[in-house]
Amino acid sequence: ELLVYLVLFHLNTQLPVSFLYSWSVWMFALCVVIAPWWFSPQATNLFWMRHSWLDWRRWIDGNFNQPRVSHGSWASWHAHMMANWREMLSPWYKALTICTSGCGRIILTLVCVASLNNGAQTRGVEQRHQFGHNAGRMAVAASFT
């Protein structure tokens, strides 16, 4: 997701040296991508990776052949883990949780919209229309992430 936002930032900026302003974020994104292979020696073993992937897909799909392991499927495991919370929490707390869970993406999208074109206004376009156009582009981009 971070890489998508970085690519969108560089596609929509007019600065020729924009990489100099965001090199630390690019390094962070590269570390996040490389970390699973760097810290897991079995991550490069194709046999184990394929076997683990197939087991995980079966568990997610509910076709896992070992029902005693994590309740046999993701749905039953999740229902078991969340049962106490669902009974304990009030409807107001649940609504607040749903509303606040999207705050991070909303803030990130607003920051990206504000940084489009480096604050420079396109000639001949009113600021309201330019903001609406940029916000529309970022909304489409954020919906794909």
Side-chain angles (χ1 to χ4, degrees), residues 2-130:
L2 181 62
L3 287 174
V4 171
Y5 282 123
L6 280 170
V7 169
L8 286 173
F9 171 73
H10 286 288
L11 288 176
N12 293 305
T13 189
Q14 296 175 352
L15 293 175
V17 290
S18 61
F19 184 77
L20 295 176
Y21 293 110
S22 62
W23 68 270
S24 59
V25 182
W26 279 103
M27 292 299 126
F28 174 73
L30 183 66
C31 288
V32 167
V33 170
I34 292 175
W37 288 279
W38 185 266
F39 293 107
S40 178
Q42 293 296 326
T44 57
N45 187 335
L46 188 58
F47 173 77
W48 288 110
M49 196 177 343
R50 183 176 178 271
H51 183 70
S52 296
W53 171 258
L54 291 175
D55 282 348
W56 181 77
R57 286 297 304 171
R58 287 186 198 114
W59 183 66
I60 291 290
D61 293 337
N63 301 328
F64 196 54
N65 57 2
Q66 298 176 7
R68 291 184 359 200
V69 177
S70 296
H71 299 280
S73 71
W74 180 85
S76 61
W77 173 82
H78 185 262
H80 173 74
M81 295 300 286
M82 298 304 289
N84 291 336
W85 286 101
R86 288 190 178 123
E87 293 171 4
M88 183 174 67
L89 298 177
S90 71
W92 289 108
Y93 186 80
K94 292 177 186 178
L96 180 65
T97 302
I98 290 171
C99 291
T100 58
S101 65
C103 284
R105 286 191 179 188
I106 291 170
I107 291 171
L108 184 60
T109 302
L110 289 176
V111 167
C112 289
V113 167
S115 67
L116 283 174
N117 296 328
N118 195 26
Q121 187 173 350
T122 307
R123 289 190 177 122
V125 178
E126 291 183 21
Q127 189 173 8
R128 288 182 300 129
H129 296 303
Q130 181 178 349

